Amino acid sequence: MDDVSERSTTDDADSEQESDAVNSGSSGWSAIAIAIAAVALVVSFTGIAFAMRAIDEAGDGTEPTSAGGTVTVDVSMTEFSYEPSFIEVPAGTEVVVNVTNDGLMPHDLKANGDTGSALLDPGQSETVSLGTFDESAIAWCTVAGHREAGMEFEIVVTGGETTSVAGRGFEAEDAHEVTIDDISLAATSMPDSADYTLYEDGVASKPVERNGPIDIEAHFSIVEGTAEMLEGTTMDFWTFDGAIPGSMIRARVGDRLDFSLHNPEDSHIPHNVDFHAVTGPGGGAVALDASPGATSNLKVQLTKPGVFLYHCAFPDVPTHLSHGMYGLIVVEPEEGLPPVDHEFYVMQSEFYTEAGGTEHIDDLDGVGHLEFSGSYARSEDPTFMVFNGKPGALTGPGALGADGSIEAGDTVRLYVGNAGPNLVSSFHVIGEILDKVYVEGSFDLVNTNVQTTLIPAGGAVAVEFTVDVPGDYLLVDHALFRTHKGLAGILSATGEPRPDLYDPQTFSTDARGGESEG
């Protein structure tokens, strides 16, 4: 492809130096982090900088020009996307971009990662050719971590040999090396009380006897890495302490939380935490920005009871959520919660990839490495919908009660969060009636005898029920085609049959593949 450009910024040497500085995670991050802390939430949630720009010859960015000509398009760069995000052109068309950095940190735009703009500081612009295209291609930001965060621009060639563009088929790379052995946090991995005073490396320790509010110290570390979503299918994840969901923090009203977030030097981008249980700007997010190599700290008092989400809220907020950065903090009333026999930690979420949302998970085994897709995320069309990080996490050995610990007659409490980032959950346990639902996570609002409860994106509930009859119970979102995307779990109970409650009479034993009893 040709590289004919008209640069209106720094020369190539300066651009290379800027690129090296950004990719090295050096002191430039400090200034960036300060600027972002002041305006991050405004930029992320209002989209002021994402206004659509005019497109000179291609109308709205989707209309092709004549074959063999040139099309010029205005492109705005922000954290972490391009606007528009794609253009359609006939084969043989040269694509020229008037690219402007409307974001808060340096970005570039390079077709296939090598031909395109210089690294542009915030406010800078450049006119540059991305090349002449006979087949579809993708341009992206080459700053470490930015493509993974969603900075891709699609050049869709009509009549060409298109395969790799989101929404129009995809070609995955070979599976990447796995750096996180198991991305899923077990439903049993949660504190059994609100009396622990230290949370570190995903472990709660140092319990105390309460005489009132206590001080709780929590240390989280960012882990960016690659894990298998299915056998032979890898994805990139950003996590708290290397698992999805992040560790549950458990406290009572009045407790003081001393929270630290460490972002290792080998991370690609800054991160933070927004605690929905915290009263104050950003739920603490603006005070917890941590650039690669830095540690942030915030002390707060927990004043309201409930089941609350926490998540990374660094721009682009939904992109961080889409990579796995969330968990629950449970703040019990001052007197605590009534005892139950078993408690479990369940988190629903969505993952968006270049594979789109039309494939059954059975067809995604062994496809290689799936890249995050901002386009599918914006159109709310997830590839995977899961409990606790990946399909099957709460089945087999990960099922609730897989160890035989739940017996008929036992009481169960589930803490269920919905990280979204887009879709509402219709949470249902097939074969159970929920004795109590703490509506939207509030311990002050209780519904009884509920079949299905709604959990908004960014919300949570606690539900309680007694398992009266032994057997397997499916945990689902009752928008049931989501099971095809991986969203199902199992709760298993042992014990003696209860014919007084559940007494099968006559049914077809061969209907599910068994042998008929005649």
Side-chain angles (χ1 to χ4, degrees):
M1 294 184 297
D2 299 330
D3 182 14
V4 257
S5 63
E6 222 180 86
R7 305 199 183 273
S8 59
T9 58
T10 58
D11 59 27
D12 290 345
D14 289 340
S15 298
E16 291 174 3
Q17 291 173 1
E18 290 176 17
S19 180
D20 290 342
V22 171
N23 287 309
S24 68
S26 62
S27 59
W29 282 117
S30 300
I32 292 167
I34 292 171
I36 288 171
V39 297
L41 295 179
V42 175
V43 172
S44 180
F45 289 114
T46 64
I48 291 173
F50 289 81
M52 177 68 79
R53 294 175 173 270
I55 295 175
D56 294 342
E57 297 182 27
D60 64 358
T62 63
E63 296 297 326
T65 186
S66 58
T70 298
V71 63
T72 301
V73 57
D74 291 346
V75 178
S76 170
M77 304 188 293
T78 54
E79 287 74 46
F80 291 94
S81 64
Y82 299 104
E83 188 63 49
S85 61
F86 78 96
I87 185 172
E88 287 188 359
V89 295
T93 300
E94 180 188 22
V95 176
V96 175
V97 291
N98 301 320
V99 60
T100 300
N101 187 351
D102 291 316
L104 301 171
M105 60 181 67
H107 299 294
D108 62 18
L109 175 62
K110 294 183 182 292
N112 299 313
D114 56 21
T115 303
S117 78
L119 188 71
L120 302 180
D121 285 328
Q124 288 189 311
S125 299
E126 179 179 14
T127 298
V128 60
S129 174
L130 296 181
T132 300
F133 297 87
D134 293 314
E135 61 183 27
S136 295
I138 296 179
W140 61 82
C141 181
T142 63
V143 176
H146 287 201
R147 183 185 185 188
E148 292 81 0
M151 293 197 72
E152 289 189 340
F153 178 81
E154 301 169 8
I155 300 127
V156 182
V157 173
T158 57
E161 301 175 9
T162 308
T163 56
S164 61
V165 180
R168 299 160 180 84
F170 72 98
E171 286 184 349
E173 301 175 0
D174 291 341
H176 287 191
E177 180 182 358
V178 170
T179 60
I180 301 174
D181 289 337
D182 188 356
I183 198 65
S184 174
L185 186 74
T188 53
S189 294
M190 57 169 288
D192 58 8
S193 77
D195 300 331
Y196 293 95
T197 61
L198 180 64
Y199 292 81
E200 192 168 22
D201 298 324
V203 177
S205 62
K206 297 186 177 180
V208 296
E209 285 193 24
R210 281 182 173 270
N211 294 308
I214 62 174
D215 292 330
I216 298 172
E217 187 177 327
H219 301 267
F220 281 14
S221 292
I222 300 299
V223 177
E224 299 177 1
T226 301
E228 281 194 324
M229 181 61 92
L230 298 167
E231 186 175 357
T233 301
T234 57
M235 289 173 52
D236 294 323
F237 297 93
W238 307 337
T239 71
F240 298 110
D241 291 320
I244 300 174
S247 301
M248 178 190 286
I249 297 175
R250 195 164 180 174
R252 289 190 186 177
V253 169
D255 289 351
R256 295 167 294 275
L257 177 63
D258 182 351
F259 180 82
S260 295
L261 178 67
H262 176 63
N263 195 7
E265 290 184 1
D266 60 0
S267 290
H268 292 125
I269 53 179
H271 298 284
N272 62 25
V273 185
D274 168 4
F275 287 100
H276 289 193
V278 167
T279 299
V286 295
L288 284 170
D289 283 350
S291 299
T295 299
S296 55
N297 177 262
L298 176 68
K299 296 180 179 181
V300 297
Q301 187 171 33
L302 302 171
T303 60
K304 304 290 184 182
V307 184
F308 299 98
L309 197 77
Y310 68 78
H311 61 88
C312 183
F314 194 85
D316 176 64
V317 178
T319 298
H320 284 250
L321 278 161
S322 296
H323 281 76
M325 304 195 74
Y326 38 77
L328 291 182
I329 176 170
V330 176
V331 184
E332 299 181 10
E334 291 181 15
E335 67 278 11
L337 293 173
V340 292
D341 295 314
H342 307 278
E343 294 183 309
F344 298 98
Y345 179 16
V346 179
M347 180 69 76
Q348 177 172 326
S349 61
E350 307 137 27
F351 291 93
Y352 297 87
T353 80
E354 59 190 326
T358 62
E359 302 289 338
H360 192 288
I361 58 168
D362 290 348
D363 298 322
L364 292 171
D365 272 327
V367 300
H369 188 76
L370 293 178
E371 296 283 357
F372 169 74
S373 170
S375 296
Y376 281 118
R378 285 185 288 276
S379 64
E380 302 186 356
D381 192 9
T383 306
F384 300 104
M385 296 189 69
V386 299
F387 291 128
N388 289 38
K390 68 179 183 181
L394 302 188
T395 64
L400 285 58
D403 59 355
S405 59
I406 303 176
E407 297 182 357
D410 285 355
T411 52
V412 173
R413 180 183 294 134
L414 307 180
Y415 300 96
V416 188
N418 179 17
N422 289 324
L423 303 177
V424 172
S425 172
S426 302
F427 184 73
H428 180 77
V429 181
I430 298 177
E432 271 298 342
I433 298 166
L434 306 177
D435 300 334
K436 285 185 180 180
V437 173
Y438 296 94
V439 180
E440 296 182 359
S442 170
F443 292 123
D444 296 320
L445 182 60
V446 181
N447 280 347
T448 59
N449 302 325
V450 175
Q451 59 184 319
T452 301
T453 188
L454 291 176
I455 312 175
V461 298
V463 301
E464 296 175 3
F465 53 90
T466 299
V467 184
D468 294 304
V469 179
D472 290 341
Y473 296 80
L474 281 176
L475 281 59
V476 297
D477 178 333
H478 217 289
L480 287 172
F481 270 110
R482 295 175 180 178
T483 60
H484 293 191
K485 296 173 182 278
L487 191 55
I490 294 176
L491 182 148
S492 294
T494 62
E496 295 298 320
R498 289 287 307 272
D500 57 320
L501 294 176
Y502 187 85
D503 189 14
Q505 300 295 305
T506 301
F507 61 96
S508 298
T509 57
D510 61 346
R512 298 172 184 257
E515 293 183 5
S516 175
E517 294 180 354

